[in-house]
Amino acid sequence: MADERPPRKRLWLGAGAAVMALAATAVGLASDPKDPVPSASAAPSVSAASGPSASATAGTRSARALIALPRADGTWPGVNGMSGVNGDPLFDTAHVNAFCTARGRACRVAQTYTDRTSWAAMTAGSGWTFDLFSDFDGMLVVSQGLVPIGAGADLAACAAGDHDQDWKNFGSLMTRYGRGDSVVRLGWEFNEKTSPWRADDPKTWIACYRRAATNIRATNPDVLLDWTINAHGTPAGTCGGLSTNCYPGDEYVDIIGIDNYDHYPWSPSKAVFDQAATDPEGLTWLYDFARQHGKPFSVGEWGVVPTGDAGKENPSFVTWMHEWFAAHASNLAYEAYFSDCGDGGVQSSLFRTDAACVKNPKSAAVYRSLFRS
């Protein structure tokens, strides 16, 4: 059960420290009258032809162009599969490339995060996010919170429109750095119990998300917004116990996604993996929801978790995830492995060898064999 899981230290818990380190290395509910009304361009189609940036970036950095490439079910990544990773231990091109060199295939996706120590840092002040990937020739996936760390009470102010300008500033920041045509996982994992923007009040959360989406798009019409849940369970007091109760509406979402780790429950067999995937809050369950809404699907974070309830690495999980990706390739916008060696974290690293990391050699070997072609 989600409520019984031990707190999982996520990047949002250490964002301030991470930013300081990086700075040293590189410079469906009832509508309220105040709810933003989507403009005609509020729900852009995920296609290469949509938005001015698609042609300007020649397709190599355009999320729209890359996601729109044709993919056939049965193989992954194949010729056009959007597969990647986060930068670990630093959010930069060099560490994404190091992972992908180790796997034997270049990454076309870099998954990264903003600073969330304050509203200004989270929006206008996160230029470092784009600086550190200025030389990355692929699409960026930026995980952006809805409120700063420790500021859950600000969800109501966000819903009321008090932070509209902050969201416009973030959209402007993306375009100024030439990364307007990127994916933003807005308020990702809102159904995870330790999330700073946990959706305990669905109406308020949805109103905040809608205002953020509308105002980011006001200054950056090319952005693709990814509504992402945390897999395997939603606490009873969050979204009424079901993540899709917090779906903000098709006009505010371009991609529907999930973060899917091998823990709580872990998968000791293919039968257990398949059951977890089809259960509410599971991989296949949410994929079906995405198809019902005509949205492409994403898996923005996934990985083995030797520190979880398995108590060991599980290379079979890598195999089953790869099989799932291949079976759903035609509607899979992207997937990104999550590499982590942080203290108290999931310890999912595949290729790092430093002392901070739990080693997962069998999982690394399986991943390399499956994801390099």
Side-chain angles (χ1 to χ4, degrees), residues 160-357:
D162 294 354
H163 293 283
D164 286 359
Q165 187 58 51
D166 288 309
W167 296 120
K168 289 177 182 176
N169 291 345
F170 184 63
S172 296
L173 182 76
M174 295 180 70
T175 60
R176 188 162 66 250
Y177 278 87
R179 287 289 188 173
D181 190 351
S182 298
V183 175
V184 172
R185 302 200 311 155
L186 185 61
W188 89 103
E189 291 196 12
F190 57 89
N191 65 323
E192 207 278 324
K193 64 185 297 184
T194 65
S195 171
W197 44 88
R198 189 177 67 245
D200 290 345
D201 180 347
K203 183 176 180 179
T204 297
W205 192 92
I206 288 173
C208 175
Y209 180 103
R210 288 176 175 177
R211 296 207 78 98
T214 298
N215 285 288
I216 293 170
R217 285 172 170 168
T219 54
N220 178 15
D222 289 340
V223 68
L224 293 175
L225 299 175
D226 187 331
W227 179 81
T228 298
I229 77 165
N230 181 59
H232 304 321
T234 296
T238 301
C239 300
L242 191 68
S243 62
T244 49
N245 288 337
C246 289
Y247 186 63
D250 288 345
E251 62 267 48
Y252 301 96
V253 173
D254 302 301
I255 300 167
I256 291 174
I258 195 168
D259 289 350
N260 193 72
Y261 292 90
D262 185 36
H263 68 170
Y264 306 105
W266 78 288
S267 296
S269 69
K270 181 63 160 55
V272 173
F273 176 90
D274 289 342
Q275 187 64 56
T278 55
D279 280 347
E281 316 294 350
L283 186 63
T284 304
W285 175 85
L286 191 68
Y287 174 85
D288 291 343
F289 178 83
R291 300 313 305 144
Q292 290 164 13
H293 288 263
K295 304 296 182 181
F297 192 71
S298 71
V299 183
E301 299 177 25
W302 68 277
V304 297
V305 186
T307 57
D309 50 332
K312 59 183 178 180
E313 67 166 319
N314 184 10
S316 293
F317 180 77
V318 177
T319 298
W320 299 328
M321 287 296 291
H322 181 265
E323 290 175 352
W324 194 96
F325 294 149
H328 300 84
S330 59
N331 293 307
L332 185 59
Y334 70 91
E335 53 84 12
Y337 191 85
F338 184 77
S339 179
D340 164 69
C341 290
D343 182 28
V346 291
Q347 288 287 332
S348 54
S349 173
L350 298 179
F351 303 122
R352 283 179 59 183
T353 58
D354 46 299
C357 301

Side-chain angles (χ1 to χ4, degrees), residues 89-141:
L90 299 181
F91 307 150
D92 63 9
T93 300
H95 288 84
V96 166
N97 287 345
F99 177 97
C100 297
T101 297
R103 80 172 181 175
R105 181 190 177 99
C107 287
R108 304 179 80 181
V109 177
Q111 206 268 110
T112 190
Y113 302 81
T114 60
D115 176 21
R116 288 171 301 283
T117 54
S118 70
W119 277 98
M122 188 172 80
T123 55
S126 281
W128 60 269
T129 300
F130 304 102
D131 274 331
L132 292 173
F133 286 100
S134 63
D135 55 347
F136 180 69
D137 287 325
M139 77 180 207
L140 283 190
V141 175

